Amino acid sequence: MPATLLPDQEGLKKSLHELNALPDGWLIGIDKNKRMTFQKGPTDSPLYIHPTLGDLPKPWILRFCGSKAPRYFNLETSETTTKNPRHDKRILRKADESRKAQGLGESSCFVRVSKTIPLSEYKREDVKSYDIRHNYHIVKILDDPNSKNKVGAFNGGVFVVKHKITKLLSVEKRFKEKDIHFTKDEVHMLHRLRHASISFFTAGFVTPDLKRASVYVEFCDRGSLENLIKAFGTKRLHASSDAEKPEVPERFIWHAFAGLCDGLAYLMGGRTYLSSDVTDYDSAPGWVPILHRDMKPDNVLIRSRGTVGTKRYFYCVLSDFGLACEDRPPGHPREDRGQKYRGKCGTKPYWASELLYDPYPKIPYPDLLSPEKPELNPEYYYFPNQQKHTAKSDLWALGAMMYNLVDCGPLSRNGVLEVHASTHILYDEKPPNISWDTYQEGTISHKTLDISKLKLNKPYTSFLSDAIKLATRELHKRPDPISMVMALKGLMNNSGFINHIPKGHEHEQLPSWATRVHDYHSLPPIDPKLFPEN
C-alpha cells in the first residue's frame, strides 16, 4: 500500500490522542483513500495497525477527513468522531457477541473499560486441560528459554503473544515439564485473583499428563516500576546540577502506594478496602490468604488506562506469582513446604528486616557446605529466628519500593555512581571478607528508610515519610496490609494528595521518558518452532 508521509508530524499528534500515543520515531502517512498509516521510519513499510494500541474494531478506520483533520471513520455509516471506538460500549458488546459465536470466552477479549461492573464480577474461562498455544502468535521474547541468562528459575519462557482472532496482547508464561507438578498452582491461583492492582488472568491450561502448561495474563504496556525508578535515576545521574535532578511526583507515589497496598490487603482478606465508604475490615468469608513472597519493583508492572489521552496516572499492577503460596496455619495439611521449614526464597534486597541475619550469615557460605548435610550451616538454607515470609514482610517490601521511588539514585558502589532499583541497600559498605550474597542477607546492608533525611530539591510531605516508616517498622510494630490501608487513607487525606492530578497541576504528570512505549502490534510473528514444546 503506497503512502505519503504528512508534514507537521508534531501538529498531527496533538490533533488526536490516537496519534499522540505513537512511540518515539514513528511517522504518520496517508494512502490514496485518505486512510492514515504508520511507519517506524521514512523507509519502512507503512501499516494500518497502530503499533501500540493495535487494531480498531470493525468497521472503524482512522481517516483524514478534510477540514476536520484526522478522525475515526465508520466505513459503513460514514460517521466521524474523535472518540476512540475501542471504548464504545455498544461496539464492545457487539464484538463480544461475535467472539462468543466463534467459541471464544470472555477472558480472551478482556479489556478494562467498565466503570460500572466491579472487577470481582468479571467472568473468565476455566483453566483448560488441553494446549491452547496454537491460538496465539509469539511477537516478543521477554525471557528466552534457550538463553543461559534466563530470569525465571521455573519458567520455560515468557513471551508477549497476540491472539490470532481478537488481536489482543497477553503475556504467556510457560512452565518447565519437570516443575509443572508444583508450579501449576500459579495458574489456578491467578485464575481466582480479581483485583485492579493484581495481574489479570486471561487464559491458561495444564495438560492432565503434566507435560505442558501455560498461564496468560494481561499485557501491561508501560514497563515496570523498576524501569521507572531507573529512568529517573539515569536522568539524575546525567543532570548537570542538583537543581536539574528530576523527582517522582509525590501524588504518583501515593497513587502507587495505596493501590498496591490494597492489592496486598486483597491477597490477605479477599476484598478491597481502599474505598472511602468501607467501614469494616473483616476478611471475605472462606477466603484463604495468599503471600506473594517476591515483592520488588520488577514485579510491579505499569499499564495504561483504557482511555487514550487521559491525564490520570497509569495503573500499577502486581505480577509474577511464581513464588506465591497460600498462607495456611502451621500444621495444616496444605501448608506450603517452604513456609513450614522457613526456607529462603524471594529477592534478597527486598527481604524484610526480620528475614535478615544480624549482622550477616556465618561463614562458610555457601560453597564449602555439603548439599546433603544442611545442618552444617542452617544459615545458608533458612531464615533466622524461626522467621518466614508473612503478609507483613510483603508490606515491608512495598514500603522499600516506595522509598526507592523517592530516593531513585544514583547511588555509589565501589566509589562509582550507578543506577539501581534498590537504593535502600548500602552498596559502598560491604566488608571485603564476605560475598555480595552474604552481605545482602544481613541487617548490615540496609539503610534506615527515612526519606526526611534525603537531600531533595522539593521535600516530600511528612505524611509520606510517616507512611514509609510505618510500612517498614520492626515486625512487632508493623501493621498488616489491611491495617496499613486504613492508615494510608488517613495519611493521604492529610497530605492533600487524595485525588488524581487536578487542573492546574500538570507539572505533577509523569514525564514521557519515565515509562516505556511499545510497538508490539507492528511486530511479525516469531516462528514457534524456535521454542520446543515442553
Side-chain angles (χ1 to χ4, degrees):
M1 54 171 178
T4 303
L5 292 176
L6 293 168
D8 190 20
Q9 293 279 321
E10 293 306 312
L12 282 169
K13 290 180 179 179
K14 294 177 182 178
S15 67
L16 198 67
H17 291 311
E18 180 98 5
L19 305 180
N20 199 40
L22 285 169
D24 289 342
W26 278 77
L27 302 172
I28 305 163
I30 189 172
D31 70 8
K32 64 179 181 180
N33 296 316
K34 297 185 178 181
R35 185 173 180 180
M36 312 295 292
T37 63
F38 311 105
Q39 58 193 81
K40 197 166 187 177
T43 60
D44 289 277
S45 299
L47 304 170
Y48 291 127
I49 300 173
H50 194 290
T52 302
L53 304 178
D55 280 331
L56 288 166
K58 294 180 180 179
W60 292 90
I61 64 171
L62 200 61
R63 192 171 183 270
F64 200 86
C65 300
S67 60
K68 294 183 179 179
R71 293 289 186 270
Y72 298 105
F73 180 80
N74 189 310
L75 290 170
E76 294 179 353
T77 65
S78 297
E79 176 189 355
T80 63
T81 181
T82 58
K83 295 182 178 180
N84 191 336
R86 293 183 185 86
H87 308 132
D88 187 300
K89 293 181 180 180
R90 296 170 301 169
I91 294 172
L92 288 171
R93 277 196 296 269
K94 186 176 180 181
D96 192 48
E97 291 169 1
S98 174
R99 292 180 183 114
K100 287 179 180 178
Q102 298 176 61
L104 296 175
E106 293 174 72
S107 67
S108 62
C109 58
F110 174 75
V111 181
R112 298 194 196 198
V113 295
S114 176
K115 296 181 180 179
T116 57
I117 303 175
L119 191 60
S120 60
E121 295 182 14
Y122 274 100
K123 296 180 180 178
R124 62 185 80 185
E125 295 182 12
D126 292 333
V127 176
K128 303 299 184 185
S129 59
Y130 52 86
D131 194 330
I132 59 174
R133 290 175 186 163
H134 61 278
N135 291 332
Y136 299 86
H137 288 303
I138 298 173
V139 296
K140 182 73 174 179
I141 304 167
L142 300 181
D143 194 0
D144 190 345
N146 301 320
S147 171
K148 295 180 180 179
N149 299 316
K150 283 179 73 279
V151 177
F154 301 112
N155 70 63
V158 181
F159 312 94
V160 178
V161 296
K162 182 189 287 189
H163 197 279
K164 291 180 179 179
I165 296 177
T166 67
K167 308 301 182 185
L168 293 178
L169 298 177
S170 294
V171 173
E172 178 195 6
K173 181 178 180 180
R174 298 185 179 184
F175 298 96
K176 297 177 184 177
E177 180 181 342
K178 66 183 181 67
D179 299 321
I180 289 175
H181 65 286
F182 57 89
T183 57
K184 69 180 186 296
D185 291 344
E186 181 179 353
V187 182
H188 295 281
M189 183 179 293
L190 282 169
H191 181 265
R192 76 178 176 99
L193 298 180
R194 306 183 188 194
H195 187 278
S197 296
I198 292 176
S199 189
F200 197 90
F201 173 99
T202 60
F205 74 91
V206 180
T207 60
D209 58 7
L210 299 184
K211 289 186 177 296
R212 294 182 307 282
S214 287
V215 65
Y216 298 80
V217 296
E218 63 176 334
F219 171 66
C220 293
D221 59 324
R222 289 284 176 166
S224 69
L225 207 60
E226 178 171 330
N227 299 145
L228 186 147
I229 292 168
K230 288 183 174 180
F232 273 88
T234 300
K235 288 286 185 179
R236 291 171 64 83
L237 175 63
H238 298 294
S240 57
S241 67
D242 287 345
E244 294 183 5
K245 292 180 178 179
E247 292 164 1
V248 179
E250 179 166 349
R251 193 180 299 275
F252 174 78
I253 298 175
W254 281 113
H255 164 74
F257 204 164
L260 292 168
C261 190
D262 195 51
L264 290 181
Y266 170 83
L267 293 180
M268 180 181 175
R271 46 177 288 221
T272 180
Y273 299 87
L274 190 58
S275 174
S276 59
D277 59 4
V278 171
T279 56
D280 77 276
Y281 292 86
D282 296 330
S283 297
W287 181 259
V288 178
I290 292 171
L291 304 176
H292 188 275
R293 301 197 300 182
D294 199 17
M295 294 285 292
K296 59 181 177 180
D298 194 39
N299 282 343
V300 174
L301 304 181
I302 302 175
R303 179 176 60 80
S304 295
R305 291 183 172 268
T307 304
V308 177
T310 180
K311 301 302 181 184
R312 291 192 165 200
Y313 287 129
F314 304 128
Y315 291 106
C316 294
V317 178
L318 183 57
S319 70
D320 196 345
F321 282 72
L323 292 179
C325 71
E326 292 181 338
D327 189 14
R328 300 282 186 175
H332 191 280
R334 296 185 62 183
E335 181 185 8
D336 178 80
R337 183 177 177 84
Q339 291 295 100
K340 181 177 181 179
Y341 295 106
R342 60 185 178 84
K344 294 177 181 177
C345 68
T347 302
K348 294 177 181 180
Y350 280 89
W351 285 354
S353 53
E354 65 272 12
L355 303 180
L356 302 176
Y357 280 88
D358 187 14
Y360 49 80
K362 295 176 183 176
I363 299 172
Y365 178 100
D367 52 352
L368 299 181
L369 302 177
S370 168
E372 290 76 31
K373 296 181 179 180
E375 65 274 9
L376 290 178
N377 189 351
E379 295 188 6
Y380 174 46
Y381 298 93
Y382 310 113
F383 288 125
N385 305 318
Q386 301 298 312
Q387 293 295 334
K388 59 185 178 181
H389 281 288
T390 63
K392 289 187 176 184
S393 64
D394 280 346
L395 177 62
W396 187 96
L398 176 59
M401 282 190 252
M402 298 304 104
Y403 179 90
N404 275 264
L405 281 173
V406 173
D407 181 19
C408 47
L411 53 80
S412 176
R413 180 170 180 172
N414 299 324
V416 178
L417 290 178
E418 297 179 350
V419 174
H420 293 274
S422 51
T423 58
H424 61 288
I425 300 296
L426 296 165
Y427 281 91
D428 249 357
E429 298 188 19
K430 182 185 79 67
N433 63 324
I434 63 174
S435 69
W436 274 107
D437 272 343
T438 304
Y439 179 62
Q440 290 181 103
E441 291 189 23
T443 56
I444 191 176
S445 67
H446 280 215
K447 294 179 182 177
T448 300
L449 304 188
D450 184 355
I451 66 172
S452 66
K453 296 180 179 179
L454 298 174
K455 182 181 178 182
L456 301 166
N457 292 326
K458 183 181 179 182
Y460 293 88
T461 64
S462 62
F463 303 107
L464 180 59
S465 178
D466 290 343
I468 293 174
K469 286 179 184 177
L470 183 60
T472 57
R473 297 181 78 176
E474 55 268 38
L475 180 61
H476 69 281
K477 294 183 179 179
R478 191 185 317 147
D480 60 44
I482 295 175
S483 299
M484 186 69 198
V485 170
M486 294 172 60
L488 276 177
K489 288 197 285 190
L491 289 166
M492 286 178 66
N493 188 59
N494 291 336
S495 75
F497 290 102
I498 194 71
N499 298 315
H500 285 277
I501 304 172
K503 289 184 178 180
H505 288 248
E506 285 73 19
H507 60 282
E508 295 184 57
Q509 294 178 10
L510 287 175
S512 59
W513 48 258
T515 58
R516 293 183 173 182
V517 180
H518 74 90
D519 59 359
Y520 296 164
H521 280 287
S522 70
L523 300 179
I526 297 173
D527 186 354
K529 294 179 182 178
L530 295 174
F531 314 103
E533 295 290 322
N534 292 328

